[in-house]
Amino acid sequence: MKLFTLFALFFFFAGIITTPTSAHEKHFIKHLPAPPGEAPKQYFEVTRPLAVTNQPPSCTLPLLTHSFCDTKGQPPVTAEYSPPAECCWTDVVLEFQAACKSDQEDRIAAVWLDGVELLRTTTPQPGSSGVYWKVSKDVTKYSSLLNSKEISLAVMLENSVNDVFTGAFDVNVTFVYYDSKGAAALGNCVRSSETVEENPIAMTVDKPMNPPVVPDDGPADSIIPISAKGEHGFWFSIQTDSQVVSKEVTIPQNAYKATVEIYATSHGNDEFWYSHPPDSYAKTNNLNAENGNGAYREVLVTIDGSLVGALVPFPVIYAGGINPLFWDPVVSIGAFDVPSYEIDLTPFLALLLDGKPHKIGFSVANSVPYWLVGGNLHLWLEHGTEKIEAGVIDTEAPKFKLELSTEFKGLDGSFKVEMERNSEYAGWVKSKKGNLTYSIKQELKLENEIKYENDARHKKMEQKIKDEVETRVTGERGKQISQIKIKRKFPLKLVTKKEIGNEANSSSLRTELENEWSVKVSGDFNSKVSNSQECSGMLGVEGNFVLSGTATMEQSYTYKDDNNCYSRKVSVADMNLVDDKANLLCTSSQPSSQLGRRLL
Ligand SMILES: *[C@@H]1O[C@H](CO)[C@@H](O)[C@H](O)[C@H]1NC(C)=O
Ligand SMILES: *[C@@H]1O[C@H](CO)[C@@H](O)[C@H](O)[C@H]1NC(C)=O
Ligand SMILES: *[C@@H]1O[C@H](CO)[C@@H](O)[C@H](O)[C@H]1NC(C)=O
């Protein structure tokens, strides 16, 4: 015991004498002099081009132009939305165009229509020569809203300015409408002024991050936001791990299918949650414990307090994360189009179909301040039916396991987290399609290991998130109608090594990162998306400011489904795009061409 105290004391002083140790990754601010006369730089996220963007649009609706200056704590900026008159469309793309002319930190932003979140996005860190970028997102799945008149479009981009960071973000939001199915020629055009009875054309929803979950149902008939009141944006701000944010909703009684779409991003002291040691480490070593609570986080969804879904979100790294030079000019996976997650609530419809209000809630297990979480409840309705009958089928209770192991002596040690949640849900819904049983099986796993060496100047983190969800629909007498299995894998590896600088406040850091988004869908529909980034570099930092550095980033994106293929490889060295090749052909032996930039 005495020896232990001595050790702790010794390392505590060692920590002070060398450089203050923060027990987690830091958010940096790129502060490099721009070469004089350098033109504004275009940033982009590597993704698959949207199918519709090769076609001429039917119409374009510019909705909002605003310069976001000192907006933190302010209400979002709004514009009235009505669909364009006399325009025939089947698909809609949201275009978020932005520019910033001077130094600024990276920021979080979102676009909502009638309180429903259409896009969650983050900004790059502009240098003094300026940056510009464009995010295009297929928002066809929100068609029921896009068909509504006189509703409010709201945009929040939380920015603040001071003497050093003077940059304001100029943003344009535009909706672009496409008639990709030839609806006009077929006389199937749905005019904005008409009420949509039934979708005449099967729509496919193009989601570069997430392949379609159930391809046949098309966009939902009604979307209800599970969001905040909107004084500071419609996202809920979650400040503690016991906080449950919720909204009471009363759903139409003719709903035969329901999903909840969730956006969740971590900020402030929880931005790098996956690199957090447990509190005992900070306490023993007399370190700031604000970035603690270990490396287990889970977003939980409840109906009237009962758990109905869980997810661990993909770790989107913002432009100031790990090494800001990695994300210039190609941003990290999901930084411009933060992925959302869909949880099928159809097995639980019986809980919602009684015509009474019910509370849909979100929480983030083990979180420290703060998370921004919001959801959209998508409902498919049966026209001409007053009330759908449904029941919840008893299944085995979910199995949850959380194992933590912590070993450290002074500042060095290792911390392990293993979480596993196995759930099975089932319910039946009787509609015109028959009495169908929806069974969902989920296996969610989080494995995280952090190692500190060299008085915690060398940190290594390896994390694996695995999520397998199988949805089976069976008819009367157990006949299988559809089956889809979605396997998500998000491996992340991080290495940071601090080399002591000349002064207490400055240091140089070696940084390495590997991050991957991989989703495989099999069953009625087969597809696979894999998107990975491998980065390596050095940083010269003073406080949180990056004053010098080098970086390389290699990215590989591949997509394959039953009919299409796409692949793209990008290389960046010291903030210059050195290679960008895309290939649309399915055979890997075909020569690739310089398609990538042109397709965007
Ligand atoms: C926004 O639109 C206006 C008008 O078309 C244009 O002048 C401006 O450059 C656009 N801004 C951005 C950030 O794209
Ligand atoms: C629908 O099917 C389930 C499971 O087979 C059954 O328990 C339920 O009673 C059926 N509902 C109706 C209305 O027939
Ligand atoms: C460390 O460097 C930053 C950035 O240059 C500066 O703002 C801060 O005051 C410095 N802190 C100390 C303790 O010298």
Side-chain angles (χ1 to χ4, degrees):
M1 193 60 216
K2 206 161 193 181
L3 188 69
F4 176 74
T5 321
L6 264 177
F7 253 98
L9 265 178
F10 171 73
F11 281 110
F12 172 50
F13 283 119
I16 294 278
I17 292 159
T18 58
T19 49
T21 304
S22 59
H24 60 94
E25 297 305 330
K26 259 186 168 175
H27 190 96
F28 293 112
I29 306 161
K30 198 171 59 187
H31 202 46
L32 305 169
E38 196 183 56
K41 203 172 189 179
Q42 184 180 12
Y43 277 59
F44 64 94
E45 180 178 341
V46 170
T47 178
R48 189 166 87 246
L50 302 174
V52 288
T53 47
N54 286 334
Q55 302 167 15
S58 302
C59 46
T60 299
L61 181 64
L63 267 173
L64 188 138
T65 295
H66 189 78
S67 183
F68 291 84
C69 192
D70 235 338
T71 46
K72 214 170 171 136
Q74 297 288 309
V77 176
T78 58
E80 193 185 84
Y81 174 87
S82 282
E86 297 305 310
C87 179
C88 191
W89 56 270
T90 56
D91 296 73
V92 187
V93 173
L94 166 71
E95 290 189 348
F96 181 95
Q97 263 183 292
C100 184
K101 291 189 194 76
S102 52
D103 280 318
Q104 189 49 265
E105 290 194 53
D106 48 303
R107 304 293 185 183
I108 182 82
V111 177
W112 297 269
L113 188 58
D114 210 19
V116 168
E117 188 161 348
L118 305 188
L119 172 73
R120 175 88 52 109
T121 186
T122 67
T123 76
Q125 286 191 348
S128 39
S129 51
V131 301
Y132 66 100
W133 74 99
K134 179 167 138 183
V135 188
S136 296
K137 182 174 180 180
D138 189 321
V139 290
T140 307
K141 73 171 173 184
Y142 307 99
S143 287
S144 66
L145 278 174
L146 292 160
N147 258 316
S148 307
K149 270 197 258 183
E150 290 158 25
I151 53 175
S152 174
L153 178 96
V155 181
M156 186 54 182
L157 190 157
E158 287 187 346
N159 193 23
S160 46
V161 295
N162 58 29
D163 296 345
V164 182
F165 298 102
T166 54
F169 290 95
D170 296 323
V171 173
N172 286 347
V173 175
T174 307
F175 285 112
V176 187
Y177 301 79
Y178 296 89
D179 175 12
S180 71
K181 319 284 187 301
L186 292 168
N188 273 335
C189 197
V190 180
R191 301 261 173 224
S192 314
S193 52
E194 294 164 15
T195 48
V196 194
E197 267 303 309
E198 205 116 321
N199 282 322
I201 302 157
M203 300 203 193
T204 50
V205 179
D206 197 350
K207 290 183 279 186
M209 293 290 278
N210 290 312
V213 177
V214 179
D216 335 325
D217 286 287
D221 300 289
S222 168
I223 308 170
I224 303 175
I226 312 296
S227 56
K229 291 198 185 81
E231 292 104 329
H232 311 297
F234 290 87
W235 37 41
F236 290 111
S237 178
I238 294 187
Q239 299 289 336
T240 68
D241 63 347
S242 58
Q243 188 182 350
V244 181
V245 293
S246 66
K247 198 173 147 192
E248 237 173 29
V249 296
T250 306
I251 73 159
Q253 286 179 274
N254 61 339
Y256 67 89
K257 179 184 160 178
T259 64
V260 63
E261 178 188 20
I262 298 155
Y263 289 93
T265 47
S266 63
H267 305 273
N269 287 333
D270 229 9
E271 179 177 341
F272 305 104
W273 60 267
Y274 41 81
S275 73
H276 288 195
D279 286 353
S280 59
Y281 173 82
K283 277 191 195 116
T284 309
N285 286 301
N286 271 310
L287 298 168
N288 177 1
E290 280 173 355
N291 309 74
N293 247 8
Y296 155 65
R297 301 289 181 278
E298 199 182 7
V299 178
L300 303 172
V301 187
T302 52
I303 297 180
D304 299 326
S306 301
L307 185 70
V308 294
L311 65 99
V312 182
F314 174 78
V316 174
I317 296 163
Y318 310 138
I322 317 301
N323 179 342
L325 310 188
F326 290 162
W327 320 123
D328 178 350
V330 180
V331 298
S332 78
I333 299 166
F336 279 167
D337 185 0
V338 176
S340 62
Y341 304 87
E342 261 170 56
I343 290 178
D344 197 342
L345 297 181
T346 311
F348 301 102
L349 264 181
L351 305 178
L352 301 169
L353 284 174
D354 57 3
K356 296 191 177 118
H358 294 277
K359 250 190 194 158
I360 300 195
F362 305 124
S363 58
V364 185
N366 240 35
S367 64
V368 297
Y370 63 98
W371 283 64
L372 293 174
V373 180
N376 305 322
L377 181 64
H378 294 249
L379 297 167
W380 285 259
L381 310 176
E382 189 166 85
H383 301 284
T385 299
E386 211 169 285
K387 191 169 173 4
I388 292 274
E389 268 185 278
V392 175
I393 297 170
D394 268 345
T395 47
E396 259 186 72
K399 289 191 197 80
F400 177 71
K401 189 181 87 181
L402 178 62
E403 282 176 10
L404 311 168
S405 82
T406 298
E407 257 179 71
F408 64 93
K409 204 172 182 185
L411 290 168
D412 290 344
S414 73
F415 318 100
K416 271 191 200 167
V417 173
E418 268 186 64
M419 185 277 284
E420 202 172 328
R421 188 186 290 278
N422 292 313
S423 323
E424 251 188 276
Y425 303 118
W428 58 266
V429 178
K430 193 168 181 233
S431 69
K432 282 180 192 160
K433 293 183 180 185
N435 181 6
L436 305 184
T437 297
Y438 293 79
S439 313
I440 297 176
K441 241 187 177 168
Q442 184 190 21
E443 272 180 50
L444 179 62
K445 271 190 203 168
L446 168 73
E447 279 174 28
N448 179 295
E449 187 172 1
I450 297 169
K451 272 194 183 143
Y452 290 173
E453 286 169 353
N454 248 313
D455 294 347
R457 283 195 297 271
H458 294 185
K459 296 176 196 164
K460 238 177 159 170
M461 192 285 301
E462 208 167 318
Q463 177 170 274
K464 279 186 196 134
I465 300 169
K466 251 172 109 174
D467 188 7
E468 286 190 26
V469 183
E470 185 177 14
T471 308
R472 246 174 226 283
V473 183
T474 49
E476 269 121 66
R477 272 173 256 110
K479 185 175 172 282
Q480 183 166 303
I481 290 170
S482 84
Q483 183 261 339
I484 292 259
K485 191 168 186 170
I486 302 174
K487 282 191 193 180
R488 294 190 167 88
K489 272 192 210 164
F490 308 149
L492 172 66
K493 274 190 204 169
L494 273 179
V495 176
T496 52
K497 291 185 179 170
K498 189 183 230 169
E499 287 154 23
I500 300 164
N502 308 330
E503 294 154 53
N505 198 23
S506 71
S507 57
S508 71
L509 280 175
R510 172 161 295 284
T511 51
E512 282 164 39
L513 176 144
E514 280 175 53
N515 200 9
E516 184 178 359
W517 166 279
S518 152
V519 183
K520 191 177 169 198
V521 179
S522 57
D524 297 354
F525 183 86
N526 298 293
S527 73
K528 190 172 189 294
V529 179
S530 155
N531 192 2
S532 64
Q533 288 182 319
E534 228 184 290
C535 316
S536 166
M538 287 292 297
L539 275 186
V541 298
E542 206 174 295
N544 278 3
F545 292 137
V546 173
L547 304 179
S548 62
T550 62
T552 59
M553 194 282 286
E554 305 283 330
Q555 184 162 9
S556 167
Y557 180 106
T558 58
Y559 173 82
K560 195 173 181 348
D561 66 23
D562 294 336
N563 307 308
N564 304 293
C565 296
Y566 179 76
S567 68
R568 186 167 170 189
K569 277 193 173 11
V570 170
S571 301
V572 176
D574 293 335
M575 298 168 279
N576 290 304
L577 189 64
V578 290
D579 203 13
D580 185 358
K581 287 194 182 79
N583 194 341
L584 283 161
L585 302 166
C586 284
T587 44
S588 52
S589 56
Q590 293 289 335
S592 36
S593 64
Q594 212 56 50
L595 270 171
R597 305 288 291 153
R598 263 190 286 137
L599 278 171
L600 270 181

